Structure formats: structure tokens, C-alpha cells
Amino acid sequence: MEAGQNFGTPYFGRKDAKVVIGIIPNGISTAVFRYFAELVAHDIRNVDACVLRITSRMKEDVDGNAIVDQEDIPIDNMKNEKLDYLKITKTFEIEEAVRILGYNQGGEGVLEKGKHVNRCADFAKGYICRRFTNVDDEDDSSLSSFGSSVSLKSSSSVSASISNSNCFIPREEIVVICPTISGHSGGPCVNDEGKVVGILSRADPVDRQRCYLVPTTEIKPLLTKAKTTMRSLLGK
């Protein structure tokens, strides 16, 4: 995704829309659609991400061809679903090896090229090379002695051109040297321990071997916001 681009509104303005979530069951290499969810919190401007709450499951797992005909079965306790989850970490090292997980939709997928949405997960290998931090106009641009951290100063003209609240203006980004393709956006970037260091927000428009992550330090406040919203909704 490009900084300053307008990403629209939740559900793309459709009041009757539903979020559908797919999973990869144990022993199967292809994802199936199983759950319906609702949007709990989102931050289009700084994080380019949202938090979803699974509300119900479909009567049967489907491959995307009959989702509209599926009956909603409410879920009372998510623990009974026994889903695995990824841990997150705030720490990382420059030149640390990472992998970005996603579903290749670039026409190079392993299932029936260009025929339907690829539901086989894959990953791209790379390494962390730098961390960017956007600062206010009053601050000076600076570069650390090791070249691992950069502070960027935004001009007033740029700020004015992307003042729309639906434009992506990241506060912090991790730069990764890693060849990513369409379908990896929004995917987790994990270290060798399998812990998430960030989520993929966009590829470099010029250098396709370079991409940008939103770090977990930016994601955690969004998770906190979602938890607060849920407590309010559930009356806790």
C-alpha cells in the first residue's frame, strides 16, 4: 500500500456486508472458510489494520463457492474452537532473519493459476534492514550512526495533501529486504522463533525486493482499543 492513499471505509460502505475468516485445518494444506466476524477496532491512518471478533461459524467449511448460503451458528466460547495463535514481540535486530506469511495472489500461485483465490499459504524469506520513525515538522531529520534507525521530517505540503483521515500515514515502519507479491499484504512477519515482529503494510513501488512493516509496538494500542470496546459491548 502507498502512503497517502485513501483506503475507503470499513466494509467498503456496505451495511449488509459480513467479514469471512478462513483457517487452515490440521492435516490440510488449503484454507477453508469457517467463521463470520465483526469489526471491533480499526486504524486506517497509522496502522493500516483492524481487529476482528469472531461471532459465529458456518454450518460447514466451504471453499468460497457457497458462503452466502451458509447458516450462522453462534459461538458461545471461542476456547472450544481450539484455534492456534501467534505470539508477538516488540524486539528485533537489524539483519535478523524473518519470514512474511501470506497467500500468493500474484498469478504465481500453486493452485489453478489465475482461476480463483489461492488458498494455499506460503512465505517469503528476508531480513530486517532498518526502522523508520516519522516526526513532527519541528523536529530535525536524523540518522543513527549504524544506519539502523531513521527519523523522517514531513513537509507541510505533504501533510496537507494527505490530511484525509482515511489516508495511510504510518508513525513507524520496519524496512525488510524481502521479495513480496500480491496477497501477502496484511500478513504477519515472524522471526525464527515464530513470533510476530510486524505486519506487512506495503511493498516499495520502485524496489520490489524491499517492503515495509507496521511494528507490533503500533499494533498493541489497537489491540488495547479493541479490548476496551469489547468490555463496553459485553458490559464488563
Side-chain angles (χ1 to χ4, degrees), residues 86-117:
L86 295 173
K87 295 182 179 180
I88 64 176
T89 178
K90 293 182 179 180
T91 61
F92 62 87
E93 301 290 338
I94 302 304
E95 298 188 358
E96 181 177 1
V98 292
R99 291 175 174 83
I100 297 177
L101 311 179
Y103 293 87
N104 179 352
Q105 306 300 335
E108 303 166 6
V110 296
L111 287 181
E112 300 180 69
K113 178 178 176 181
K115 205 165 186 180
H116 57 66
V117 174

Side-chain angles (χ1 to χ4, degrees), residues 3-6 45 135-137 153-169:
Q5 181 178 347
N6 191 311
R45 188 177 181 85
V135 297
D136 296 332
D137 287 347
K153 181 171 70 174
S154 301
S155 66
S156 58
S157 60
V158 173
S159 298
S161 65
I162 56 178
S163 60
N164 188 304
S165 61
N166 286 341
C167 294
F168 182 39
I169 311 173

